[in-house]
Amino acid sequence: MGKKTLMTGNEAIAEAAVQAGCRHFFGYPITPQSEIPEYLSKRFPEVGGCFLQAESEIASIYMVFGAAGAGARVMTSSSSPGISLMQEGISYISAAELPCVIVNVMRGGPGLGGIQPSQSDYFQATKGGGHGDYHVLVLAPSTVQEAADLMMEAFDLADKYRNPVMILGDGFLGQMIEPVEFKRRSSTDRPARDWTITGAKGRAQNVVKSLYLKPDVLEQHNLQLHRKYQKMIKNERRVETYLTEDAQVVIVAFGMAARIAKTAIKILREKDIKAGLVRPISLFPFPYQTLEKVAEKVDKLLVVEMNLGQMIEDVKLGVCGKAAVHFYGRVGGMVPSYDEIVAEVEKIVKKKR
Amino acid sequence: MKKVFERPKSMYPVSTHYCPGCGHGIVHRLIAEVIDELGILEKTVGVAPVGCSVLLYNYLNCDMYEAAHGRAPAIATGCKRVHPELVVFTYQGDGDLASIGTAEIIHAAARGEKISTFFINNAIYGMTGGQMAPTTLIGQKTTTSPFGRTSEEAGYPLRVSEILATLDGAAYVARVAVNDPKNVIRAKKAIKKAFETQMKGLGFSLVEVLSQCPTPWKMSPSEAVKWVEEKMMPYYPLGEFKSPKEEG
Ligand SMILES: Cc1ncc(C[n+]2csc(CCOP(=O)(O)OP(=O)(O)O)c2C)c(N)n1
Ligand code: SF4
């Protein structure tokens, strides 16, 4: 290790999982993420892992439930329509507090949509997706290197909070080839898991469940989950700021859109427009505070997304009326070009507010 | 004095929440007795369904999961793939297994997943108050087939054991009943054989149990056991549909 290799984002995610000690994968093929299961089906036999192609995404997520409940480091990956099918299971996994990693390599929707990159599952990923009051920790990488880094960390975070962690990428990230280095081995010592299903040998029965028929007991369960989410909000906010110090206008974007925005910012600066970037890396918890601070100094923001305006709602909550929040989005698998972003920023700069 | 009858060690000393005359309690007990006899309590894992028996873990004291509706075989698969040395079983009703969970049970069987499934066929949705199940008989009245199930509207009841027995991955498939003492003894033998099939690593095993559900059937417990014999058994014949070859 410590050596750079050229890999697609999907392959890097898969290899990072192996290096983080993940030995169980359950999934169902779907474009544009199939390289993840394909890679693992080859790689797992070398390390004694278990790869299983399930009959559906519904079965996949419940196999994850079973393996996570049994104490394994486990993951699944899919793309938008498949992730929709998993939502029931993600709700159950969250309720039962099972650690696992779910990768969504997003494509355009709704419905069967298309197979080209998109960011239109932001709401689904960050606001619940399934039923009930729960949250998944959501991380959005914007380079292949970051995808590998976050993937490795995701397993530790899942263990730390006993909660699903979602890596939210898009078809662009999954398919593009970049040099990647697998920097660190994720800590092999995982937190104690005395609650797992291992056979009740020399101890009382363990039960992995989500049913609480008594309302007062379920309320306590909900409140306990809520306290956990508050802890995530306190400890796990991740955000990159780029050239915001002297900025007159700030772009807010995540994942691939943020990467394109960076190029646009360089061009804008050559044109003497001081643009900067806020790139939320954790989408739940969302870095509201960073936006609040930025809005104290800048009166114009442009949110760029590969959807028709989802993260913008969180940006507005962070900005809280202190600055104008504009939007530029492309959808359907169309990716915003840096020229389009430059033009959009130039338009905004000319506006009064 | 010699004790001739006692509570299985694998059961908690509590009374169940089931209706009088319900078959679930009998099957729980049979599973517990078999776990005791095989001495596998410390390595047995159960997966409870969504249905009247969702609280199975309040009665059996092995490690347990509580599944989502129909997904028990997928959860059991995940567990078994992590701990191949454990004995993993699912316990499922007919709505759970034969309707919402058909894909999961068929593929667990097709994969030859080394788990055992105890499938409680009571021809109705008990927990939700007596709606039509995929196993509801033609002519049977339920709250969603108030004039009796017709094949024109609702098709035909599923014979799960016969279907699963066609799959190469299924090593042991049997249908039993718990409507009289003779059948209860046979049911226990089948449950034991299912566990043994799994422990020998031979593949998937399933025991379908015709079970009485007097409350939504709107019958007394004694009418219910008669109904199992007179109405269910002709459509759902008892017997072994698939069995591993005897050794030797
Ligand atoms: C996804 C989902 N759909 C519907 C239900 C409601 N529900 C709970 S139990 C049940 C049917 C149970 O019937 P069966 O499996 O035959 O078991 P029984 O209660 O008869 O033992 C249904 C439909 C649910 N809990 N989850
Ligand atoms: S409704 Fe049927 S299955 Fe449920 S407890 Fe009553 S008798 Fe048993």
Side-chain angles (χ1 to χ4, degrees):
Chain A
M1 282 315 118
K3 205 175 93 224
K4 288 208 171 184
T5 1
L6 280 174
M7 275 186 158
T8 65
N10 283 338
E11 288 166 344
I13 283 171
E15 179 58 31
V18 173
Q19 301 214 13
C22 170
R23 292 293 179 272
H24 288 81
F25 177 96
F26 305 95
Y28 187 83
I30 184 169
T31 307
Q33 64 77 55
S34 292
E35 295 79 12
I36 297 175
E38 283 167 1
Y39 184 93
L40 289 175
S41 67
K42 249 194 259 157
R43 182 76 166 94
F44 265 170
E46 296 171 11
V47 293
C50 162
F51 171 88
L52 179 55
Q53 182 169 317
E55 60 270 29
S56 69
E57 289 85 352
I58 299 176
S60 308
I61 197 69
Y62 285 104
M63 289 174 186
V64 168
F65 183 109
R73 272 214 152 159
V74 57
M75 71 169 289
T76 184
S77 69
S78 187
S79 179
S80 310
I83 297 288
S84 289
L85 268 186
M86 289 186 191
Q87 291 304 327
E88 181 203 38
I90 296 174
S91 165
Y92 275 74
I93 288 174
S94 301
E97 297 192 82
L98 304 178
C100 67
V101 176
I102 300 155
V103 178
N104 181 2
V105 184
M106 288 181 282
R107 56 188 253 180
L112 200 48
I115 58 169
Q116 299 300 325
S118 164
Q119 297 183 321
S120 51
D121 303 345
Y122 179 92
F123 282 150
Q124 184 196 53
T126 61
K127 308 295 174 195
H131 62 284
D133 231 329
Y134 76 94
H135 279 289
V136 169
L137 210 154
V138 186
L139 302 172
S142 76
T143 64
V144 172
Q145 181 64 57
E146 194 180 29
D149 294 347
L150 290 179
M151 188 64 190
M152 289 172 101
E153 208 182 338
F155 288 98
D156 291 338
L157 288 170
D159 270 343
K160 181 175 172 190
Y161 293 100
R162 282 187 60 183
N163 205 70
V165 176
M166 181 176 281
I167 299 289
L168 193 65
D170 61 63
F172 211 135
L173 180 77
Q175 303 293 329
M176 80 188 174
I177 298 177
E178 280 189 320
V180 58
E181 180 188 342
F182 298 94
K183 284 178 199 150
R184 66 175 186 108
R185 282 192 174 275
S186 182
S187 61
T188 37
D189 25 317
R190 302 176 59 194
R193 280 160 291 131
D194 51 1
W195 49 271
T196 53
I197 301 288
T198 53
K201 191 169 185 175
R203 60 158 170 80
Q205 170 192 51
N206 280 343
V207 179
V208 168
K209 63 164 207 164
S210 62
L211 179 72
Y212 300 90
L213 283 171
K214 296 200 174 91
D216 56 330
V217 179
L218 179 53
E219 184 177 52
Q220 285 311 312
H221 176 57
N222 274 304
L223 290 172
Q224 185 246 319
L225 290 177
H226 182 69
R227 283 191 291 274
K228 185 169 86 173
Y229 304 141
Q230 293 305 117
K231 251 188 228 161
M232 289 182 197
I233 289 170
K234 192 163 156 251
N235 301 330
E236 309 302 341
R237 288 192 307 259
R238 280 140 217 245
V239 59
E240 182 197 2
T241 53
Y242 173 69
L243 302 179
T244 51
E245 280 308 309
D246 64 343
Q248 62 191 110
V249 55
V250 164
I251 300 174
V252 191
F254 72 96
M256 199 45 58
R259 193 170 164 144
I260 301 162
K262 267 192 187 172
T263 310
I265 287 165
K266 282 178 197 146
I267 297 169
L268 285 161
R269 289 207 166 235
E270 277 162 21
K271 294 183 170 193
D272 277 336
I273 296 174
K274 286 186 182 137
L277 174 74
V278 173
R279 177 173 74 92
I281 299 169
S282 59
L283 302 183
F284 181 87
F286 190 80
Y288 295 108
Q289 293 76 357
T290 307
L291 287 155
E292 195 183 336
K293 262 192 230 140
V294 164
E296 278 162 12
K297 293 198 290 188
V298 177
D299 62 1
K300 285 168 188 162
L301 283 85
L302 174 69
V303 178
V304 179
E305 299 182 70
M306 284 147 62
N307 59 48
L308 287 180
Q310 299 192 17
M311 183 179 69
I312 189 174
E313 295 191 1
D314 284 321
V315 174
K316 282 182 174 167
L317 279 176
V319 166
C320 206
K322 285 189 207 138
V325 180
H326 300 272
F327 181 77
Y328 184 70
R330 294 296 302 269
V331 284
M334 298 304 291
V335 178
S337 71
Y338 51 79
D339 288 338
E340 289 165 18
I341 298 174
V342 167
E344 211 50 39
V345 171
E346 285 177 326
K347 244 197 310 192
I348 291 165
V349 170
K350 280 188 208 128
K351 278 189 190 162
K352 275 215 176 116
R353 200 195 133 124
Chain B
M1 208 167 61
K2 190 172 171 253
K3 248 195 209 165
V4 290
F5 194 77
E6 62 183 331
R7 188 183 294 277
K9 279 207 272 309
S10 305
M11 282 194 107
Y12 287 116
V14 293
S15 47
T16 70
H17 68 286
Y18 298 117
C19 308
C22 173
H24 276 305
I26 304 172
V27 184
H28 290 10
R29 184 181 166 102
L30 294 180
I31 293 171
E33 285 178 5
V34 171
I35 292 174
D36 281 6
E37 284 169 25
L38 294 171
I40 54 171
L41 174 59
E42 294 185 333
K43 60 172 190 169
T44 298
V45 171
V47 187
V50 174
C52 277
S53 50
V54 59
L55 298 174
L56 180 59
Y57 46 80
N58 285 351
Y59 309 130
L60 297 185
N61 53 28
C62 57
D63 270 6
M64 290 205 72
Y65 295 89
E66 171 198 273
H69 200 19
R71 316 303 174 207
I75 291 173
T77 298
C79 181
K80 187 74 182 191
R81 295 292 178 124
V82 174
H83 299 301
E85 74 286 0
L86 297 180
V87 179
V88 182
F89 74 90
T90 73
Y91 186 103
Q92 302 178 256
D94 42 34
D96 196 80
L97 181 144
S99 191
I100 197 165
T102 2
E104 283 78 10
I105 194 64
I106 289 204
H107 284 276
R111 280 193 305 270
E113 209 61 61
K114 293 173 189 70
I115 60 171
S116 305
T117 291
F118 304 117
F119 164 44
I120 311 305
N121 179 356
N122 58 15
I124 206 156
Y125 284 17
M127 190 193 206
T128 39
Q131 296 83 7
M132 183 176 68
T135 46
T136 292
L137 297 172
I138 299 293
Q140 187 184 337
K141 285 183 182 159
T142 70
T143 59
T144 50
S145 57
F147 311 107
R149 177 176 184 160
T150 66
S151 58
E152 290 79 12
E153 272 173 0
Y156 298 90
L158 237 62
R159 291 188 184 94
V160 169
S161 291
E162 285 84 339
I163 293 170
L164 293 182
T166 65
L167 301 172
D168 290 345
Y172 180 69
V173 179
R175 185 182 289 119
V176 298
V178 287
N179 63 325
D180 65 30
K182 181 175 78 265
N183 280 334
V184 169
I185 290 167
R186 286 186 185 142
K188 181 172 166 184
K189 278 194 186 134
I191 290 169
K192 196 168 199 173
K193 215 160 163 185
F195 274 130
E196 285 167 347
T197 301
Q198 176 180 173
M199 289 160 74
K200 287 181 195 156
L202 299 176
F204 175 82
S205 49
L206 175 132
V207 178
E208 174 174 346
V209 184
L210 303 184
S211 179
Q212 42 281 10
C213 181
T215 310
W217 287 359
K218 299 191 168 52
M219 290 178 202
S220 70
S222 56
E223 286 167 340
V225 292
K226 232 185 272 157
W227 197 80
V228 169
E229 179 161 350
E230 288 168 7
K231 300 286 186 207
M232 289 185 81
M233 284 184 198
Y235 191 84
Y236 298 117
L238 304 188
E240 287 185 340
F241 296 89
K242 202 157 183 189
S243 185
K245 287 187 190 69
E246 297 299 326
E247 283 138 83

